[in-house]
Amino acid sequence: YVDLMATNIFVSDKKEYRIGDLGFLSLSALSYSTLPDKYRSAYTPPEFDDPMAPLNTTADTYALGMILYQLFNDSQLPVRDTETGTVPSPINADYELAEIIAKAIHADPTERWQDPAAMGQAIASYMQRNSVNDVPITHHTPLEPEEPAISEPEEDTTPVSSEEFSESAVEET
């Protein structure tokens, strides 16, 4: 796929997730190809910062890990520590799910899930051991911001004493 990101995942009428805007390379061409700048995003693995780096099969598991991180971290992508290359755990993920995500977004491609099926199996096993419910894991953010209601300024109905009234009349003149 190579260009997986949150905006390329859609929900069908049957409530199934579908990937749209499919990638542009076959698996056999990955080791001979580089990633053009127009396809780089926050979901692109760090090794692709080098424009001449060959593509690898862990790019999609990295991107999926970043999507999961964002989902379990109140829509925020991680900030990688420049010294250690690590990222903090997503705030809404327990330790087990955080480990699955951390492996997916590891800075070293040899430490990532090498096969998307292995990552899928780890997630499926996690879901079988843990209860899954309909409680949202992040706060709902509407797609379009609501228009703020325009209200008339409230009038000050505090009674004014005759002294205050006469002083304000003097100040105005």
Side-chain angles (χ1 to χ4, degrees), residues 98-119:
E99 286 178 3
I100 294 170
I101 294 170
K103 183 171 182 169
I105 62 173
H106 200 284
D108 181 357
T110 62
E111 297 294 321
R112 289 187 203 131
W113 298 101
Q114 297 301 302
D115 180 12
M119 183 179 175

Side-chain angles (χ1 to χ4, degrees), residues 14-56:
K14 297 178 183 177
K15 306 293 184 202
E16 298 171 331
Y17 292 95
R18 300 286 183 203
I19 296 175
D21 189 20
L22 295 176
F24 56 91
L25 289 174
S26 65
L27 286 175
S28 61
L30 281 180
S31 61
Y32 304 106
S33 304
T34 59
L35 188 66
D37 285 339
K38 70 180 184 176
Y39 292 108
R40 294 178 208 275
S41 70
Y43 305 93
T44 303
E47 66 269 18
F48 295 165
D49 289 345
D50 175 4
M52 297 309 290
L55 301 179
N56 60 54

